[in-house]
Amino acid sequence: MQVKSWQASPEQLKDLEDKPQPVAAEFLGTLLLVFFGVGAAVLAAEYIGSLGIALTFGFVMLALAYAIGPISGSHVNPAVTLGMFLAGRLDLELAVKYWVAQLVGGIAGAALLFLVAKQVPGLQTSETFGSNGFGDRSAVHINTGGAFVAELVLTFLFVYTVLAVTHKVAVVGFDGLPIGIALAVVHLVGIPLTGTSVNPARSLGPAVFAGGAALVQLWMFIVAPLVGGAIAAYVHVLTHPQPNRRPKREMRVS
């Protein structure tokens, strides 16, 4: 069964861009993704393991796709927004607004999680707190180059999936299902390697509160996902027809 993504007129798309709801939705969505996804790693890893953490990220992403997908596209990830921008589906002004909302939302979600974590006696947060890492901060001690390649490929799969199942910015119908599954899958592979970032906003928030080595290694989990998202956008242009892509001089949100 083929499910077509939402198609909007240029007037509707222009109206969407001028409203504050999409940016607010990206802030809230990123906050919730960090609180629940990273929260599963910080508060419940002993009980649910890597599989449970991966499923938590996937299920939260699936829920957000339905909750805010029709409003903002449920990017909740600067790498996804970059991919959408490079694919010609939204303009730079809106992309920058999304990036700011996502990064602030990631920090806010981590702040709420930090508040909860501090109420748990004996819970270690310094240089850990669900932050991503490589070398001696990786479960398998993956080196710098390996971590970069892993994050690039994992992000590529996720962003490519998002681009492939959506034709516009919005996520509707069954679009959310493969997006949630893809996020769960990349976490299943990535958790032993780097803790799985694939999302600079998800990495920034916990690193701010973990401090130390988490902040020193943060560059990896900003650069590698953005590179992976950019490559996904260009590969998607090669593998999929682009009937909705418009010239940049006309581009608003499409």
Side-chain angles (χ1 to χ4, degrees):
M1 179 176 62
Q2 183 178 7
V3 180
K4 293 184 178 180
S5 295
W6 173 70
Q7 302 287 332
S9 68
E11 292 75 18
Q12 288 173 311
L13 292 170
K14 175 64 165 58
D15 187 52
L16 174 65
E17 185 184 51
D18 290 341
K19 289 184 176 179
Q21 285 86 353
V23 176
E26 285 298 304
F27 167 81
L28 178 61
T30 311
L31 183 157
L32 293 173
L33 180 69
V34 170
F35 181 85
F36 286 99
V38 179
V42 172
L43 302 173
E46 179 182 353
Y47 307 100
I48 63 176
S50 295
L51 176 60
I53 296 169
L55 290 177
T56 300
F57 272 100
F59 284 144
V60 172
M61 189 71 242
L62 177 59
L64 292 173
Y66 286 104
I68 65 173
I71 300 170
S72 70
S74 189
H75 299 182
V76 298
N77 182 339
V80 172
T81 298
L82 178 62
M84 287 284 186
F85 168 67
L86 294 176
R89 301 189 190 179
L90 74 167
D91 72 358
L92 182 59
E93 180 183 351
L94 186 60
V96 170
K97 291 178 181 178
Y98 272 27
W99 287 325
V100 172
Q102 292 156 359
L103 294 174
V104 175
I107 294 173
L112 287 176
L113 178 60
F114 188 75
L115 180 63
V116 173
K118 282 302 181 181
Q119 312 313 308
V120 180
L123 183 65
Q124 177 69 25
T125 58
S126 178
E127 299 195 35
T128 55
F129 195 56
S131 58
N132 302 112
F134 52 90
D136 59 3
R137 301 187 68 251
S138 160
V140 297
H141 294 83
I142 192 169
N143 63 25
T144 305
F148 190 93
V149 172
E151 284 292 332
L152 187 154
V153 175
L154 294 173
T155 308
F156 171 88
L157 172 62
F158 180 63
V159 176
Y160 183 80
T161 300
V162 174
L163 291 170
V165 302
T166 59
H167 297 296
K168 296 285 187 179
V169 174
V171 178
V172 296
F174 292 109
D175 293 350
L177 190 58
I179 293 172
I181 291 173
L183 189 60
V185 168
V186 300
H187 274 81
L188 284 172
V189 175
I191 286 174
L193 302 177
T194 63
T196 311
S197 170
V198 305
N199 184 340
R202 171 262 182 269
S203 296
L204 174 64
V208 167
F209 293 91
L215 281 174
V216 172
Q217 295 186 350
L218 179 61
W219 68 269
M220 170 75 72
F221 307 104
I222 295 175
V223 176
L226 291 177
V227 173
I231 294 174
Y234 285 113
V235 171
H236 180 263
V237 170
L238 297 176
T239 60
H240 289 69
Q242 306 291 314
N244 297 308
R245 189 182 180 98
R246 291 187 288 164
K248 288 187 180 297
R249 66 179 180 274
E250 300 176 4
M251 191 188 306
R252 296 296 286 173
V253 181
S254 87

Short mmCIF file of all heavy atoms in Angstrom, two decimals, residues 181-247:
data_model
loop_
_atom_site.label_atom_id
_atom_site.label_comp_id
_atom_site.label_asym_id
_atom_site.label_seq_id
_atom_site.Cartn_x
_atom_site.Cartn_y
_atom_site.Cartn_z
N ILE A 181 11.33 3.38 13.32
CA ILE A 181 12.09 2.13 13.22
C ILE A 181 13.55 2.42 12.90
O ILE A 181 14.46 1.81 13.49
CB ILE A 181 11.47 1.22 12.14
CG1 ILE A 181 10.10 0.71 12.60
CG2 ILE A 181 12.40 0.05 11.82
CD1 ILE A 181 9.34 -0.06 11.53
N ALA A 182 13.79 3.36 11.98
CA ALA A 182 15.17 3.69 11.61
C ALA A 182 15.95 4.21 12.80
O ALA A 182 17.13 3.85 13.00
CB ALA A 182 15.18 4.71 10.48
N LEU A 183 15.32 5.06 13.63
CA LEU A 183 16.03 5.60 14.80
C LEU A 183 16.33 4.49 15.79
O LEU A 183 17.41 4.46 16.40
CB LEU A 183 15.22 6.70 15.46
CG LEU A 183 15.96 7.48 16.55
CD1 LEU A 183 17.21 8.15 15.99
CD2 LEU A 183 15.06 8.52 17.21
N ALA A 184 15.41 3.56 15.97
CA ALA A 184 15.66 2.43 16.88
C ALA A 184 16.81 1.57 16.36
O ALA A 184 17.68 1.14 17.13
CB ALA A 184 14.39 1.60 17.04
N VAL A 185 16.83 1.30 15.07
CA VAL A 185 17.87 0.46 14.47
C VAL A 185 19.25 1.09 14.62
O VAL A 185 20.21 0.41 15.00
CB VAL A 185 17.56 0.20 12.98
CG1 VAL A 185 18.78 -0.41 12.27
CG2 VAL A 185 16.36 -0.73 12.85
N VAL A 186 19.37 2.39 14.34
CA VAL A 186 20.69 3.01 14.46
C VAL A 186 21.16 3.02 15.91
O VAL A 186 22.38 2.95 16.17
CB VAL A 186 20.72 4.44 13.86
CG1 VAL A 186 20.36 4.41 12.38
CG2 VAL A 186 19.83 5.39 14.61
N HIS A 187 20.24 3.06 16.85
CA HIS A 187 20.64 2.99 18.26
C HIS A 187 21.08 1.57 18.64
O HIS A 187 22.02 1.41 19.43
CB HIS A 187 19.49 3.45 19.17
CG HIS A 187 19.46 4.93 19.37
ND1 HIS A 187 18.91 5.78 18.45
CD2 HIS A 187 19.94 5.71 20.37
CE1 HIS A 187 19.03 7.03 18.87
NE2 HIS A 187 19.67 7.01 20.03
N LEU A 188 20.43 0.57 18.09
CA LEU A 188 20.85 -0.80 18.38
C LEU A 188 22.30 -1.02 17.97
O LEU A 188 23.07 -1.69 18.67
CB LEU A 188 19.94 -1.79 17.65
CG LEU A 188 18.55 -2.02 18.25
CD1 LEU A 188 17.71 -2.87 17.32
CD2 LEU A 188 18.66 -2.67 19.63
N VAL A 189 22.70 -0.46 16.83
CA VAL A 189 24.06 -0.61 16.34
C VAL A 189 25.00 0.36 17.05
O VAL A 189 26.13 0.01 17.41
CB VAL A 189 24.13 -0.38 14.82
CG1 VAL A 189 25.57 -0.42 14.32
CG2 VAL A 189 23.28 -1.42 14.09
N GLY A 190 24.55 1.58 17.26
CA GLY A 190 25.44 2.64 17.73
C GLY A 190 25.69 2.72 19.22
O GLY A 190 26.71 3.27 19.64
N ILE A 191 24.78 2.21 20.04
CA ILE A 191 24.95 2.34 21.50
C ILE A 191 26.27 1.76 21.98
O ILE A 191 26.99 2.40 22.76
CB ILE A 191 23.75 1.72 22.24
CG1 ILE A 191 22.54 2.65 22.12
CG2 ILE A 191 24.08 1.49 23.72
CD1 ILE A 191 21.25 2.08 22.69
N PRO A 192 26.68 0.55 21.55
CA PRO A 192 27.99 0.05 22.02
C PRO A 192 29.17 0.83 21.47
O PRO A 192 30.25 0.80 22.06
CB PRO A 192 28.02 -1.40 21.50
CG PRO A 192 26.61 -1.72 21.14
CD PRO A 192 25.99 -0.44 20.71
N LEU A 193 28.97 1.52 20.35
CA LEU A 193 30.08 2.22 19.70
C LEU A 193 30.32 3.60 20.31
O LEU A 193 31.42 3.89 20.80
CB LEU A 193 29.80 2.36 18.21
CG LEU A 193 29.58 1.05 17.43
CD1 LEU A 193 29.24 1.35 15.98
CD2 LEU A 193 30.81 0.16 17.53
N THR A 194 29.31 4.44 20.28
CA THR A 194 29.46 5.83 20.72
C THR A 194 28.36 6.28 21.68
O THR A 194 28.34 7.42 22.12
CB THR A 194 29.42 6.79 19.52
OG1 THR A 194 28.14 6.68 18.88
CG2 THR A 194 30.52 6.46 18.52
N GLY A 195 27.42 5.39 21.97
CA GLY A 195 26.23 5.78 22.71
C GLY A 195 25.15 6.30 21.79
O GLY A 195 24.05 6.61 22.22
N THR A 196 25.46 6.40 20.50
CA THR A 196 24.58 6.87 19.42
C THR A 196 24.15 8.32 19.60
O THR A 196 23.34 8.66 20.45
CB THR A 196 23.30 6.01 19.28
OG1 THR A 196 23.63 4.64 19.25
CG2 THR A 196 22.57 6.38 17.99
N SER A 197 24.70 9.15 18.73
CA SER A 197 24.24 10.53 18.65
C SER A 197 23.25 10.67 17.50
O SER A 197 22.07 10.74 17.71
CB SER A 197 25.41 11.49 18.46
OG SER A 197 24.92 12.79 18.17
N VAL A 198 23.76 10.71 16.28
CA VAL A 198 23.02 10.98 15.04
C VAL A 198 22.20 12.27 15.14
O VAL A 198 21.32 12.51 14.32
CB VAL A 198 22.13 9.80 14.57
CG1 VAL A 198 22.96 8.54 14.42
CG2 VAL A 198 20.93 9.55 15.49
N ASN A 199 22.48 13.07 16.16
CA ASN A 199 21.66 14.25 16.45
C ASN A 199 22.47 15.22 17.32
O ASN A 199 22.62 14.97 18.53
CB ASN A 199 20.38 13.82 17.16
CG ASN A 199 19.42 14.97 17.43
OD1 ASN A 199 19.80 16.14 17.44
ND2 ASN A 199 18.18 14.64 17.67
N PRO A 200 22.99 16.30 16.76
CA PRO A 200 23.79 17.23 17.56
C PRO A 200 23.05 17.80 18.78
O PRO A 200 23.67 18.03 19.82
CB PRO A 200 24.12 18.34 16.56
CG PRO A 200 24.12 17.66 15.23
CD PRO A 200 23.00 16.66 15.32
N ALA A 201 21.73 18.03 18.66
CA ALA A 201 20.98 18.57 19.79
C ALA A 201 20.88 17.55 20.92
O ALA A 201 20.95 17.91 22.10
CB ALA A 201 19.58 18.99 19.34
N ARG A 202 20.74 16.27 20.56
CA ARG A 202 20.68 15.20 21.57
C ARG A 202 22.02 15.10 22.30
O ARG A 202 22.07 14.77 23.49
CB ARG A 202 20.34 13.87 20.89
CG ARG A 202 20.47 12.63 21.79
CD ARG A 202 21.80 11.94 21.53
NE ARG A 202 21.97 10.73 22.33
CZ ARG A 202 22.53 10.68 23.52
NH1 ARG A 202 22.95 11.78 24.11
NH2 ARG A 202 22.66 9.54 24.16
N SER A 203 23.14 15.36 21.60
CA SER A 203 24.46 15.26 22.21
C SER A 203 24.81 16.49 23.04
O SER A 203 25.45 16.38 24.08
CB SER A 203 25.52 15.04 21.13
OG SER A 203 25.32 13.82 20.48
N LEU A 204 24.41 17.66 22.55
CA LEU A 204 24.76 18.91 23.23
C LEU A 204 24.17 18.97 24.63
O LEU A 204 24.88 19.29 25.59
CB LEU A 204 24.29 20.11 22.41
CG LEU A 204 24.46 21.48 23.07
CD1 LEU A 204 25.93 21.79 23.28
CD2 LEU A 204 23.79 22.56 22.22
N GLY A 205 22.89 18.70 24.76
CA GLY A 205 22.22 18.84 26.05
C GLY A 205 22.87 18.05 27.17
O GLY A 205 23.30 18.62 28.19
N PRO A 206 23.02 16.71 27.04
CA PRO A 206 23.67 15.93 28.09
C PRO A 206 25.11 16.34 28.34
O PRO A 206 25.57 16.34 29.49
CB PRO A 206 23.57 14.51 27.56
CG PRO A 206 22.38 14.50 26.67
CD PRO A 206 22.39 15.86 26.01
N ALA A 207 25.85 16.71 27.27
CA ALA A 207 27.26 17.07 27.45
C ALA A 207 27.41 18.32 28.30
O ALA A 207 28.36 18.44 29.09
CB ALA A 207 27.92 17.28 26.09
N VAL A 208 26.50 19.26 28.17
CA VAL A 208 26.54 20.49 28.96
C VAL A 208 26.51 20.17 30.45
O VAL A 208 27.22 20.79 31.26
CB VAL A 208 25.38 21.43 28.58
CG1 VAL A 208 25.22 22.55 29.61
CG2 VAL A 208 25.60 22.01 27.19
N PHE A 209 25.70 19.19 30.83
CA PHE A 209 25.55 18.85 32.25
C PHE A 209 26.54 17.79 32.70
O PHE A 209 26.83 17.70 33.90
CB PHE A 209 24.11 18.41 32.52
CG PHE A 209 23.12 19.52 32.37
CD1 PHE A 209 22.50 19.74 31.16
CD2 PHE A 209 22.85 20.38 33.42
CE1 PHE A 209 21.60 20.80 30.99
CE2 PHE A 209 21.96 21.43 33.28
CZ PHE A 209 21.34 21.64 32.05
N ALA A 210 27.06 16.99 31.77
CA ALA A 210 28.07 16.00 32.14
C ALA A 210 29.43 16.65 32.34
O ALA A 210 30.18 16.31 33.25
CB ALA A 210 28.16 14.91 31.08
N GLY A 211 29.76 17.63 31.47
CA GLY A 211 31.03 18.34 31.58
C GLY A 211 32.22 17.45 31.27
O GLY A 211 32.09 16.32 30.80
N GLY A 212 33.41 17.97 31.53
CA GLY A 212 34.64 17.21 31.37
C GLY A 212 34.84 16.65 29.98
O GLY A 212 34.69 17.36 28.97
N ALA A 213 35.14 15.36 29.90
CA ALA A 213 35.44 14.71 28.62
C ALA A 213 34.25 14.72 27.68
O ALA A 213 34.43 14.70 26.45
CB ALA A 213 35.90 13.27 28.87
N ALA A 214 33.05 14.75 28.22
CA ALA A 214 31.87 14.80 27.37
C ALA A 214 31.86 16.05 26.51
O ALA A 214 31.50 16.01 25.32
CB ALA A 214 30.59 14.73 28.22
N LEU A 215 32.28 17.17 27.08
CA LEU A 215 32.36 18.43 26.32
C LEU A 215 33.56 18.43 25.38
O LEU A 215 33.48 18.95 24.26
CB LEU A 215 32.46 19.61 27.28
CG LEU A 215 31.14 20.08 27.92
CD1 LEU A 215 31.41 21.16 28.95
CD2 LEU A 215 30.17 20.59 26.85
N VAL A 216 34.66 17.84 25.80
CA VAL A 216 35.85 17.78 24.96
C VAL A 216 35.57 17.00 23.68
O VAL A 216 36.02 17.37 22.59
CB VAL A 216 37.02 17.13 25.72
CG1 VAL A 216 38.21 16.88 24.80
CG2 VAL A 216 37.45 18.01 26.89
N GLN A 217 34.79 15.92 23.78
CA GLN A 217 34.51 15.07 22.63
C GLN A 217 33.24 15.47 21.88
O GLN A 217 32.90 14.86 20.87
CB GLN A 217 34.38 13.60 23.08
CG GLN A 217 35.66 13.02 23.63
CD GLN A 217 35.55 11.53 23.94
OE1 GLN A 217 34.46 10.95 23.91
NE2 GLN A 217 36.67 10.91 24.22
N LEU A 218 32.58 16.52 22.32
CA LEU A 218 31.30 16.91 21.71
C LEU A 218 31.41 17.24 20.23
O LEU A 218 30.48 17.00 19.47
CB LEU A 218 30.73 18.11 22.48
CG LEU A 218 29.41 18.70 21.99
CD1 LEU A 218 28.29 17.66 22.05
CD2 LEU A 218 29.05 19.94 22.79
N TRP A 219 32.55 17.79 19.81
CA TRP A 219 32.73 18.18 18.40
C TRP A 219 32.39 17.03 17.45
O TRP A 219 31.80 17.24 16.38
CB TRP A 219 34.16 18.65 18.15
CG TRP A 219 35.18 17.56 18.27
CD1 TRP A 219 35.87 17.18 19.39
CD2 TRP A 219 35.61 16.68 17.22
NE1 TRP A 219 36.70 16.12 19.11
CE2 TRP A 219 36.57 15.79 17.79
CE3 TRP A 219 35.30 16.55 15.87
CZ2 TRP A 219 37.20 14.80 17.06
CZ3 TRP A 219 35.92 15.56 15.12
CH2 TRP A 219 36.87 14.69 15.71
N MET A 220 32.77 15.81 17.85
CA MET A 220 32.52 14.64 17.00
C MET A 220 31.04 14.47 16.71
O MET A 220 30.64 14.17 15.58
CB MET A 220 33.05 13.39 17.71
CG MET A 220 32.64 12.07 17.06
SD MET A 220 33.55 11.73 15.55
CE MET A 220 35.15 11.33 16.24
N PHE A 221 30.22 14.71 17.72
CA PHE A 221 28.80 14.41 17.63
C PHE A 221 27.99 15.61 17.12
O PHE A 221 26.76 15.56 17.08
CB PHE A 221 28.31 13.89 18.97
CG PHE A 221 29.15 12.74 19.44
CD1 PHE A 221 30.11 12.90 20.45
CD2 PHE A 221 29.05 11.51 18.82
CE1 PHE A 221 30.92 11.85 20.84
CE2 PHE A 221 29.86 10.45 19.19
CZ PHE A 221 30.79 10.61 20.20
N ILE A 222 28.72 16.65 16.76
CA ILE A 222 28.13 17.75 16.00
C ILE A 222 28.52 17.62 14.53
O ILE A 222 27.67 17.66 13.63
CB ILE A 222 28.57 19.11 16.56
CG1 ILE A 222 28.02 19.30 17.97
CG2 ILE A 222 28.12 20.25 15.64
CD1 ILE A 222 28.51 20.57 18.66
N VAL A 223 29.81 17.42 14.28
CA VAL A 223 30.32 17.40 12.91
C VAL A 223 29.87 16.16 12.14
O VAL A 223 29.34 16.26 11.02
CB VAL A 223 31.86 17.50 12.90
CG1 VAL A 223 32.39 17.39 11.48
CG2 VAL A 223 32.31 18.81 13.55
N ALA A 224 30.10 14.97 12.72
CA ALA A 224 29.80 13.73 11.99
C ALA A 224 28.33 13.60 11.60
O ALA A 224 28.02 13.25 10.45
CB ALA A 224 30.25 12.52 12.81
N PRO A 225 27.37 13.88 12.51
CA PRO A 225 25.96 13.80 12.09
C PRO A 225 25.60 14.81 11.00
O PRO A 225 24.81 14.48 10.10
CB PRO A 225 25.19 14.08 13.38
CG PRO A 225 26.11 13.66 14.47
CD PRO A 225 27.47 14.05 13.97
N LEU A 226 26.15 16.01 11.06
CA LEU A 226 25.85 17.00 10.03
C LEU A 226 26.41 16.56 8.68
O LEU A 226 25.75 16.73 7.63
CB LEU A 226 26.41 18.37 10.43
CG LEU A 226 25.72 19.05 11.62
CD1 LEU A 226 26.41 20.36 11.96
CD2 LEU A 226 24.23 19.29 11.34
N VAL A 227 27.60 15.98 8.67
CA VAL A 227 28.16 15.47 7.42
C VAL A 227 27.30 14.32 6.89
O VAL A 227 27.00 14.25 5.70
CB VAL A 227 29.61 15.01 7.62
CG1 VAL A 227 30.15 14.33 6.36
CG2 VAL A 227 30.51 16.19 7.99
N GLY A 228 26.89 13.43 7.78
CA GLY A 228 26.03 12.32 7.37
C GLY A 228 24.71 12.80 6.81
O GLY A 228 24.21 12.26 5.81
N GLY A 229 24.13 13.82 7.44
CA GLY A 229 22.86 14.37 6.95
C GLY A 229 23.01 15.02 5.59
O GLY A 229 22.14 14.90 4.72
N ALA A 230 24.14 15.73 5.38
CA ALA A 230 24.39 16.38 4.10
C ALA A 230 24.56 15.35 2.99
O ALA A 230 24.00 15.49 1.89
CB ALA A 230 25.62 17.26 4.20
N ILE A 231 25.31 14.29 3.27
CA ILE A 231 25.51 13.24 2.27
C ILE A 231 24.18 12.57 1.94
O ILE A 231 23.88 12.27 0.76
CB ILE A 231 26.54 12.21 2.77
CG1 ILE A 231 27.91 12.86 2.89
CG2 ILE A 231 26.60 11.00 1.82
CD1 ILE A 231 28.96 11.96 3.50
N ALA A 232 23.35 12.34 2.95
CA ALA A 232 22.04 11.72 2.72
C ALA A 232 21.20 12.56 1.78
O ALA A 232 20.50 12.02 0.90
CB ALA A 232 21.32 11.53 4.05
N ALA A 233 21.25 13.88 1.93
CA ALA A 233 20.47 14.76 1.07
C ALA A 233 20.92 14.64 -0.38
O ALA A 233 20.08 14.56 -1.30
CB ALA A 233 20.59 16.21 1.54
N TYR A 234 22.21 14.62 -0.61
CA TYR A 234 22.71 14.55 -1.98
C TYR A 234 22.49 13.17 -2.59
O TYR A 234 22.17 13.05 -3.78
CB TYR A 234 24.19 14.93 -2.01
CG TYR A 234 24.41 16.41 -1.85
CD1 TYR A 234 25.02 16.93 -0.72
CD2 TYR A 234 23.96 17.31 -2.82
CE1 TYR A 234 25.21 18.29 -0.56
CE2 TYR A 234 24.13 18.68 -2.66
CZ TYR A 234 24.76 19.16 -1.53
OH TYR A 234 24.92 20.51 -1.37
N VAL A 235 22.62 12.11 -1.80
CA VAL A 235 22.35 10.77 -2.32
C VAL A 235 20.87 10.61 -2.63
O VAL A 235 20.50 10.00 -3.65
CB VAL A 235 22.81 9.69 -1.31
CG1 VAL A 235 22.34 8.30 -1.75
CG2 VAL A 235 24.33 9.71 -1.18
N HIS A 236 20.02 11.20 -1.81
CA HIS A 236 18.58 11.13 -2.07
C HIS A 236 18.22 11.76 -3.41
O HIS A 236 17.34 11.28 -4.13
CB HIS A 236 17.81 11.81 -0.93
CG HIS A 236 16.33 11.79 -1.11
ND1 HIS A 236 15.62 12.85 -1.65
CD2 HIS A 236 15.42 10.83 -0.85
CE1 HIS A 236 14.34 12.54 -1.70
NE2 HIS A 236 14.20 11.33 -1.22
N VAL A 237 18.90 12.85 -3.75
CA VAL A 237 18.66 13.49 -5.05
C VAL A 237 19.02 12.54 -6.19
O VAL A 237 18.36 12.51 -7.23
CB VAL A 237 19.48 14.80 -5.16
CG1 VAL A 237 19.43 15.35 -6.59
CG2 VAL A 237 18.95 15.84 -4.19
N LEU A 238 20.04 11.71 -5.99
CA LEU A 238 20.48 10.78 -7.02
C LEU A 238 19.55 9.57 -7.15
O LEU A 238 19.42 9.00 -8.24
CB LEU A 238 21.90 10.28 -6.72
CG LEU A 238 23.01 11.34 -6.71
CD1 LEU A 238 24.33 10.70 -6.31
CD2 LEU A 238 23.13 12.00 -8.08
N THR A 239 18.92 9.17 -6.05
CA THR A 239 18.14 7.93 -6.06
C THR A 239 16.64 8.13 -6.17
O THR A 239 15.91 7.18 -6.46
CB THR A 239 18.42 7.11 -4.78
OG1 THR A 239 18.06 7.89 -3.62
CG2 THR A 239 19.88 6.72 -4.69
N HIS A 240 16.16 9.37 -5.94
CA HIS A 240 14.73 9.62 -5.96
C HIS A 240 14.39 10.79 -6.88
O HIS A 240 15.15 11.76 -6.94
CB HIS A 240 14.21 9.94 -4.55
CG HIS A 240 14.18 8.77 -3.63
ND1 HIS A 240 15.32 8.16 -3.16
CD2 HIS A 240 13.13 8.08 -3.09
CE1 HIS A 240 14.99 7.15 -2.36
NE2 HIS A 240 13.67 7.08 -2.31
N PRO A 241 13.27 10.72 -7.58
CA PRO A 241 12.81 11.87 -8.37
C PRO A 241 12.57 13.05 -7.43
O PRO A 241 12.20 12.87 -6.26
CB PRO A 241 11.49 11.39 -8.99
CG PRO A 241 11.56 9.90 -8.92
CD PRO A 241 12.36 9.57 -7.70
N GLN A 242 12.76 14.27 -7.94
CA GLN A 242 12.61 15.48 -7.14
C GLN A 242 11.57 16.40 -7.77
O GLN A 242 11.87 17.54 -8.14
CB GLN A 242 13.95 16.20 -7.01
CG GLN A 242 15.09 15.35 -6.49
CD GLN A 242 14.92 14.96 -5.05
OE1 GLN A 242 14.59 15.79 -4.20
NE2 GLN A 242 15.14 13.69 -4.73
N PRO A 243 10.31 15.94 -7.89
CA PRO A 243 9.31 16.77 -8.56
C PRO A 243 8.94 18.03 -7.80
O PRO A 243 8.44 19.00 -8.37
CB PRO A 243 8.09 15.84 -8.66
CG PRO A 243 8.26 14.90 -7.50
CD PRO A 243 9.74 14.68 -7.40
N ASN A 244 9.20 18.04 -6.48
CA ASN A 244 8.78 19.18 -5.67
C ASN A 244 9.91 20.17 -5.39
O ASN A 244 9.70 21.17 -4.72
CB ASN A 244 8.22 18.68 -4.33
CG ASN A 244 6.99 17.84 -4.53
OD1 ASN A 244 6.05 18.24 -5.20
ND2 ASN A 244 7.00 16.64 -3.96
N ARG A 245 11.11 19.86 -5.89
CA ARG A 245 12.23 20.76 -5.64
C ARG A 245 12.08 22.01 -6.49
O ARG A 245 11.80 21.93 -7.68
CB ARG A 245 13.55 20.07 -5.97
CG ARG A 245 14.78 20.86 -5.52
CD ARG A 245 16.04 20.14 -5.92
NE ARG A 245 17.20 20.90 -5.50
CZ ARG A 245 17.90 20.65 -4.41
NH1 ARG A 245 17.52 19.69 -3.60
NH2 ARG A 245 18.95 21.38 -4.09
N ARG A 246 12.28 23.16 -5.89
CA ARG A 246 12.17 24.42 -6.61
C ARG A 246 13.50 25.16 -6.61
O ARG A 246 14.34 24.92 -5.75
CB ARG A 246 11.10 25.32 -5.95
CG ARG A 246 9.70 24.79 -6.12
CD ARG A 246 8.69 25.79 -5.60
NE ARG A 246 8.72 25.87 -4.15
CZ ARG A 246 8.17 26.88 -3.47
NH1 ARG A 246 7.61 27.88 -4.10
NH2 ARG A 246 8.22 26.89 -2.16
N PRO A 247 13.70 26.06 -7.58
CA PRO A 247 14.94 26.83 -7.57
C PRO A 247 15.09 27.61 -6.27
O PRO A 247 14.11 28.05 -5.69
CB PRO A 247 14.75 27.79 -8.77
CG PRO A 247 13.76 27.10 -9.64
CD PRO A 247 12.84 26.37 -8.73
#
